[in-house]
Amino acid sequence: MSELLLLNGPNLGILGRRQPEIYGTETLADIVDAVGEEVEGRGWKVVSVQRESEGELISAVHEADGTVGAIVNPGALMIAGWGLRDALAAYPRPWIEVHLSNVWAREAFRHESVLAPLADGVIVGLGALGYRLAARALLAKVPRS
Ligand code: DQA
């Protein structure tokens, strides 16, 4: 079965109770289910990886060579996650960067992502819906095998 990587960086495992006024009330488990719903019709299975440390996220990207594509919310690693950026540069499949919040409406240090120039697309500010939309974008981008 084809697998879709859903990669979430630091502090995203506590969604639902993490500053809900900014990040919403949906949990990461809700998001995994929602992405699964989007892609099940294509027969894709979601492989969800959430880690607090950059090294573990890098390893997850290395191990994901066989996946059909990826949805990546790097959390604060958007700001200076150069190692994660290099790993994603070598990732051979399309991937979409997602941020729940509108990072451009927030503090200046969130206004630039070192990963975004490599992404096939970027979705910000739409909350958990952004992950569903990223899944739909990947369905459109990945040719049917
Ligand atoms: C975030 C935005 C980042 O700036 C922040 O560090 C996060 C969450 C988002 O989804 O809005 O951890 O990636």
PDB file of all heavy atoms in Angstrom, residues 10-12 18 23 73-79 98-103 106 109-110 131, ligand 1:
ATOM      1  N   PRO A  10       8.443  20.011  16.515  1.00  0.00           N
ATOM      2  CA  PRO A  10       8.313  20.225  17.955  1.00  0.00           C
ATOM      3  C   PRO A  10       7.027  20.929  18.368  1.00  0.00           C
ATOM      4  O   PRO A  10       6.554  21.832  17.662  1.00  0.00           O
ATOM      5  CB  PRO A  10       9.538  21.082  18.308  1.00  0.00           C
ATOM      6  CG  PRO A  10      10.188  21.453  17.029  1.00  0.00           C
ATOM      7  CD  PRO A  10       9.679  20.554  15.958  1.00  0.00           C
ATOM      8  N   ASN A  11       6.495  20.477  19.474  1.00  0.00           N
ATOM      9  CA  ASN A  11       5.316  21.075  20.133  1.00  0.00           C
ATOM     10  C   ASN A  11       4.002  20.832  19.401  1.00  0.00           C
ATOM     11  O   ASN A  11       2.970  21.370  19.788  1.00  0.00           O
ATOM     12  CB  ASN A  11       5.521  22.583  20.356  1.00  0.00           C
ATOM     13  CG  ASN A  11       6.722  22.862  21.227  1.00  0.00           C
ATOM     14  OD1 ASN A  11       6.822  22.323  22.326  1.00  0.00           O
ATOM     15  ND2 ASN A  11       7.662  23.650  20.740  1.00  0.00           N
ATOM     16  N   LEU A  12       4.036  20.036  18.343  1.00  0.00           N
ATOM     17  CA  LEU A  12       2.794  19.778  17.623  1.00  0.00           C
ATOM     18  C   LEU A  12       2.088  18.513  18.118  1.00  0.00           C
ATOM     19  O   LEU A  12       0.943  18.264  17.750  1.00  0.00           O
ATOM     20  CB  LEU A  12       3.056  19.735  16.111  1.00  0.00           C
ATOM     21  CG  LEU A  12       3.474  21.124  15.594  1.00  0.00           C
ATOM     22  CD1 LEU A  12       4.107  21.034  14.215  1.00  0.00           C
ATOM     23  CD2 LEU A  12       2.299  22.091  15.591  1.00  0.00           C
ATOM     24  N   ARG A  18      -2.503  23.067  23.204  1.00  0.00           N
ATOM     25  CA  ARG A  18      -1.459  24.088  23.012  1.00  0.00           C
ATOM     26  C   ARG A  18      -2.092  25.362  22.462  1.00  0.00           C
ATOM     27  O   ARG A  18      -2.534  25.394  21.300  1.00  0.00           O
ATOM     28  CB  ARG A  18      -0.409  23.590  22.011  1.00  0.00           C
ATOM     29  CG  ARG A  18       0.666  24.618  21.716  1.00  0.00           C
ATOM     30  CD  ARG A  18       1.573  24.194  20.576  1.00  0.00           C
ATOM     31  NE  ARG A  18       2.546  25.216  20.316  1.00  0.00           N
ATOM     32  CZ  ARG A  18       3.318  25.273  19.246  1.00  0.00           C
ATOM     33  NH1 ARG A  18       3.225  24.333  18.311  1.00  0.00           N
ATOM     34  NH2 ARG A  18       4.173  26.247  19.093  1.00  0.00           N
ATOM     35  N   TYR A  23      -3.813  27.798  17.731  1.00  0.00           N
ATOM     36  CA  TYR A  23      -3.642  26.576  16.939  1.00  0.00           C
ATOM     37  C   TYR A  23      -4.919  25.734  16.816  1.00  0.00           C
ATOM     38  O   TYR A  23      -4.910  24.708  16.135  1.00  0.00           O
ATOM     39  CB  TYR A  23      -2.507  25.729  17.536  1.00  0.00           C
ATOM     40  CG  TYR A  23      -1.179  26.453  17.507  1.00  0.00           C
ATOM     41  CD1 TYR A  23      -0.536  26.843  18.688  1.00  0.00           C
ATOM     42  CD2 TYR A  23      -0.576  26.787  16.296  1.00  0.00           C
ATOM     43  CE1 TYR A  23       0.676  27.522  18.656  1.00  0.00           C
ATOM     44  CE2 TYR A  23       0.628  27.473  16.254  1.00  0.00           C
ATOM     45  CZ  TYR A  23       1.248  27.834  17.440  1.00  0.00           C
ATOM     46  OH  TYR A  23       2.438  28.522  17.396  1.00  0.00           O
ATOM     47  N   ASN A  73       4.726  19.960   8.741  1.00  0.00           N
ATOM     48  CA  ASN A  73       4.654  21.147   9.589  1.00  0.00           C
ATOM     49  C   ASN A  73       5.894  21.114  10.477  1.00  0.00           C
ATOM     50  O   ASN A  73       5.950  20.346  11.441  1.00  0.00           O
ATOM     51  CB  ASN A  73       3.382  21.180  10.436  1.00  0.00           C
ATOM     52  CG  ASN A  73       3.273  22.491  11.217  1.00  0.00           C
ATOM     53  OD1 ASN A  73       4.266  23.205  11.388  1.00  0.00           O
ATOM     54  ND2 ASN A  73       2.079  22.800  11.706  1.00  0.00           N
ATOM     55  N   PRO A  74       6.887  21.944  10.160  1.00  0.00           N
ATOM     56  CA  PRO A  74       8.144  21.882  10.905  1.00  0.00           C
ATOM     57  C   PRO A  74       8.085  22.598  12.243  1.00  0.00           C
ATOM     58  O   PRO A  74       9.072  22.587  12.987  1.00  0.00           O
ATOM     59  CB  PRO A  74       9.118  22.587   9.960  1.00  0.00           C
ATOM     60  CG  PRO A  74       8.267  23.581   9.217  1.00  0.00           C
ATOM     61  CD  PRO A  74       6.913  22.938   9.072  1.00  0.00           C
ATOM     62  N   GLY A  75       6.934  23.243  12.557  1.00  0.00           N
ATOM     63  CA  GLY A  75       6.879  24.041  13.779  1.00  0.00           C
ATOM     64  C   GLY A  75       7.965  25.103  13.732  1.00  0.00           C
ATOM     65  O   GLY A  75       8.259  25.676  12.674  1.00  0.00           O
ATOM     66  N   ALA A  76       8.601  25.338  14.876  1.00  0.00           N
ATOM     67  CA  ALA A  76       9.614  26.401  14.954  1.00  0.00           C
ATOM     68  C   ALA A  76      10.863  26.091  14.134  1.00  0.00           C
ATOM     69  O   ALA A  76      11.689  26.981  13.909  1.00  0.00           O
ATOM     70  CB  ALA A  76       9.991  26.649  16.411  1.00  0.00           C
ATOM     71  N   LEU A  77      11.004  24.851  13.659  1.00  0.00           N
ATOM     72  CA  LEU A  77      12.168  24.549  12.805  1.00  0.00           C
ATOM     73  C   LEU A  77      12.074  25.239  11.451  1.00  0.00           C
ATOM     74  O   LEU A  77      13.030  25.244  10.682  1.00  0.00           O
ATOM     75  CB  LEU A  77      12.316  23.038  12.627  1.00  0.00           C
ATOM     76  CG  LEU A  77      12.723  22.293  13.901  1.00  0.00           C
ATOM     77  CD1 LEU A  77      12.634  20.788  13.688  1.00  0.00           C
ATOM     78  CD2 LEU A  77      14.127  22.690  14.329  1.00  0.00           C
ATOM     79  N   MET A  78      10.905  25.833  11.173  1.00  0.00           N
ATOM     80  CA  MET A  78      10.808  26.655   9.964  1.00  0.00           C
ATOM     81  C   MET A  78      11.857  27.769   9.998  1.00  0.00           C
ATOM     82  O   MET A  78      12.318  28.233   8.964  1.00  0.00           O
ATOM     83  CB  MET A  78       9.411  27.282   9.835  1.00  0.00           C
ATOM     84  CG  MET A  78       9.109  28.323  10.911  1.00  0.00           C
ATOM     85  SD  MET A  78       7.445  29.035  10.818  1.00  0.00           S
ATOM     86  CE  MET A  78       7.570  30.077   9.369  1.00  0.00           C
ATOM     87  N   ILE A  79      12.220  28.195  11.205  1.00  0.00           N
ATOM     88  CA  ILE A  79      13.034  29.405  11.354  1.00  0.00           C
ATOM     89  C   ILE A  79      14.514  29.135  11.079  1.00  0.00           C
ATOM     90  O   ILE A  79      15.177  29.945  10.434  1.00  0.00           O
ATOM     91  CB  ILE A  79      12.834  29.988  12.772  1.00  0.00           C
ATOM     92  CG1 ILE A  79      11.376  30.417  12.945  1.00  0.00           C
ATOM     93  CG2 ILE A  79      13.798  31.146  13.033  1.00  0.00           C
ATOM     94  CD1 ILE A  79      10.911  30.498  14.383  1.00  0.00           C
ATOM     95  N   VAL A  98       2.928  23.047   5.804  1.00  0.00           N
ATOM     96  CA  VAL A  98       1.681  23.534   6.414  1.00  0.00           C
ATOM     97  C   VAL A  98       1.989  24.230   7.734  1.00  0.00           C
ATOM     98  O   VAL A  98       2.802  23.747   8.524  1.00  0.00           O
ATOM     99  CB  VAL A  98       0.704  22.356   6.677  1.00  0.00           C
ATOM    100  CG1 VAL A  98      -0.501  22.817   7.497  1.00  0.00           C
ATOM    101  CG2 VAL A  98       0.228  21.744   5.370  1.00  0.00           C
ATOM    102  N   HIS A  99       1.361  25.360   7.941  1.00  0.00           N
ATOM    103  CA  HIS A  99       1.348  25.993   9.265  1.00  0.00           C
ATOM    104  C   HIS A  99      -0.103  26.273   9.629  1.00  0.00           C
ATOM    105  O   HIS A  99      -0.841  26.862   8.827  1.00  0.00           O
ATOM    106  CB  HIS A  99       2.164  27.285   9.278  1.00  0.00           C
ATOM    107  CG  HIS A  99       3.608  27.033   9.011  1.00  0.00           C
ATOM    108  ND1 HIS A  99       4.460  26.537   9.975  1.00  0.00           N
ATOM    109  CD2 HIS A  99       4.340  27.148   7.880  1.00  0.00           C
ATOM    110  CE1 HIS A  99       5.655  26.377   9.446  1.00  0.00           C
ATOM    111  NE2 HIS A  99       5.618  26.734   8.176  1.00  0.00           N
ATOM    112  N   LEU A 100      -0.481  25.872  10.821  1.00  0.00           N
ATOM    113  CA  LEU A 100      -1.858  26.093  11.269  1.00  0.00           C
ATOM    114  C   LEU A 100      -2.175  27.581  11.349  1.00  0.00           C
ATOM    115  O   LEU A 100      -3.254  28.025  10.942  1.00  0.00           O
ATOM    116  CB  LEU A 100      -2.049  25.468  12.654  1.00  0.00           C
ATOM    117  CG  LEU A 100      -1.949  23.938  12.709  1.00  0.00           C
ATOM    118  CD1 LEU A 100      -1.252  23.496  13.975  1.00  0.00           C
ATOM    119  CD2 LEU A 100      -3.320  23.328  12.583  1.00  0.00           C
ATOM    120  N   SER A 101      -1.248  28.332  11.916  1.00  0.00           N
ATOM    121  CA  SER A 101      -1.480  29.763  12.110  1.00  0.00           C
ATOM    122  C   SER A 101      -0.957  30.548  10.907  1.00  0.00           C
ATOM    123  O   SER A 101      -0.138  30.039  10.130  1.00  0.00           O
ATOM    124  CB  SER A 101      -0.762  30.226  13.385  1.00  0.00           C
ATOM    125  OG  SER A 101       0.643  30.026  13.265  1.00  0.00           O
ATOM    126  N   ASN A 102      -1.432  31.769  10.790  1.00  0.00           N
ATOM    127  CA  ASN A 102      -0.911  32.650   9.741  1.00  0.00           C
ATOM    128  C   ASN A 102       0.383  33.269  10.261  1.00  0.00           C
ATOM    129  O   ASN A 102       0.371  34.272  10.965  1.00  0.00           O
ATOM    130  CB  ASN A 102      -1.928  33.726   9.385  1.00  0.00           C
ATOM    131  CG  ASN A 102      -1.389  34.664   8.316  1.00  0.00           C
ATOM    132  OD1 ASN A 102      -0.230  34.557   7.904  1.00  0.00           O
ATOM    133  ND2 ASN A 102      -2.219  35.579   7.874  1.00  0.00           N
ATOM    134  N   VAL A 103       1.479  32.630   9.899  1.00  0.00           N
ATOM    135  CA  VAL A 103       2.767  33.034  10.478  1.00  0.00           C
ATOM    136  C   VAL A 103       3.134  34.487  10.125  1.00  0.00           C
ATOM    137  O   VAL A 103       3.846  35.144  10.882  1.00  0.00           O
ATOM    138  CB  VAL A 103       3.898  32.066  10.052  1.00  0.00           C
ATOM    139  CG1 VAL A 103       3.748  30.736  10.777  1.00  0.00           C
ATOM    140  CG2 VAL A 103       3.931  31.847   8.541  1.00  0.00           C
ATOM    141  N   ARG A 106       2.033  37.113  12.621  1.00  0.00           N
ATOM    142  CA  ARG A 106       2.555  36.934  13.980  1.00  0.00           C
ATOM    143  C   ARG A 106       3.920  37.627  14.123  1.00  0.00           C
ATOM    144  O   ARG A 106       4.246  38.528  13.371  1.00  0.00           O
ATOM    145  CB  ARG A 106       2.602  35.431  14.285  1.00  0.00           C
ATOM    146  CG  ARG A 106       1.213  34.776  14.190  1.00  0.00           C
ATOM    147  CD  ARG A 106       1.255  33.320  14.539  1.00  0.00           C
ATOM    148  NE  ARG A 106       1.664  33.128  15.932  1.00  0.00           N
ATOM    149  CZ  ARG A 106       2.063  31.959  16.421  1.00  0.00           C
ATOM    150  NH1 ARG A 106       2.098  30.884  15.646  1.00  0.00           N
ATOM    151  NH2 ARG A 106       2.418  31.862  17.681  1.00  0.00           N
ATOM    152  N   PHE A 109       9.909  36.974  13.765  1.00  0.00           N
ATOM    153  CA  PHE A 109      10.816  35.825  13.599  1.00  0.00           C
ATOM    154  C   PHE A 109      10.137  34.648  12.898  1.00  0.00           C
ATOM    155  O   PHE A 109      10.802  33.724  12.455  1.00  0.00           O
ATOM    156  CB  PHE A 109      11.444  35.397  14.941  1.00  0.00           C
ATOM    157  CG  PHE A 109      10.487  34.804  15.944  1.00  0.00           C
ATOM    158  CD1 PHE A 109      10.164  33.457  15.917  1.00  0.00           C
ATOM    159  CD2 PHE A 109       9.930  35.597  16.942  1.00  0.00           C
ATOM    160  CE1 PHE A 109       9.302  32.898  16.845  1.00  0.00           C
ATOM    161  CE2 PHE A 109       9.062  35.053  17.883  1.00  0.00           C
ATOM    162  CZ  PHE A 109       8.739  33.711  17.838  1.00  0.00           C
ATOM    163  N   ARG A 110       8.809  34.708  12.768  1.00  0.00           N
ATOM    164  CA  ARG A 110       8.090  33.631  12.065  1.00  0.00           C
ATOM    165  C   ARG A 110       7.832  33.965  10.600  1.00  0.00           C
ATOM    166  O   ARG A 110       7.121  33.241   9.907  1.00  0.00           O
ATOM    167  CB  ARG A 110       6.740  33.350  12.741  1.00  0.00           C
ATOM    168  CG  ARG A 110       6.835  32.863  14.162  1.00  0.00           C
ATOM    169  CD  ARG A 110       5.447  32.562  14.717  1.00  0.00           C
ATOM    170  NE  ARG A 110       5.440  32.674  16.158  1.00  0.00           N
ATOM    171  CZ  ARG A 110       5.795  31.703  16.994  1.00  0.00           C
ATOM    172  NH1 ARG A 110       6.160  30.534  16.525  1.00  0.00           N
ATOM    173  NH2 ARG A 110       5.774  31.899  18.290  1.00  0.00           N
ATOM    174  N   TYR A 131      -4.130  20.934   6.581  1.00  0.00           N
ATOM    175  CA  TYR A 131      -3.603  19.583   6.334  1.00  0.00           C
ATOM    176  C   TYR A 131      -4.469  18.844   5.312  1.00  0.00           C
ATOM    177  O   TYR A 131      -3.964  18.114   4.477  1.00  0.00           O
ATOM    178  CB  TYR A 131      -3.562  18.784   7.629  1.00  0.00           C
ATOM    179  CG  TYR A 131      -2.505  19.195   8.638  1.00  0.00           C
ATOM    180  CD1 TYR A 131      -2.748  20.191   9.569  1.00  0.00           C
ATOM    181  CD2 TYR A 131      -1.273  18.544   8.684  1.00  0.00           C
ATOM    182  CE1 TYR A 131      -1.798  20.542  10.516  1.00  0.00           C
ATOM    183  CE2 TYR A 131      -0.312  18.879   9.626  1.00  0.00           C
ATOM    184  CZ  TYR A 131      -0.580  19.890  10.542  1.00  0.00           C
ATOM    185  OH  TYR A 131       0.368  20.233  11.476  1.00  0.00           O
TER     186      TYR A 131
HETATM  187  C1  DQA B   1       3.447  26.593  13.427  1.00  0.00           C
HETATM  188  C2  DQA B   1       3.996  28.016  13.372  1.00  0.00           C
HETATM  189  C3  DQA B   1       5.403  28.073  13.960  1.00  0.00           C
HETATM  190  O1  DQA B   1       5.914  29.404  13.905  1.00  0.00           O
HETATM  191  C4  DQA B   1       5.380  27.613  15.404  1.00  0.00           C
HETATM  192  O2  DQA B   1       6.701  27.592  15.920  1.00  0.00           O
HETATM  193  C5  DQA B   1       4.731  26.283  15.561  1.00  0.00           C
HETATM  194  C6  DQA B   1       3.488  26.048  14.840  1.00  0.00           C
HETATM  195  C7  DQA B   1       1.989  26.534  12.940  1.00  0.00           C
HETATM  196  O3  DQA B   1       1.559  25.439  12.622  1.00  0.00           O
HETATM  197  O4  DQA B   1       1.306  27.561  12.907  1.00  0.00           O
HETATM  198  O5  DQA B   1       5.176  25.437  16.322  1.00  0.00           O
HETATM  199  O6  DQA B   1       4.226  25.775  12.581  1.00  0.00           O
END
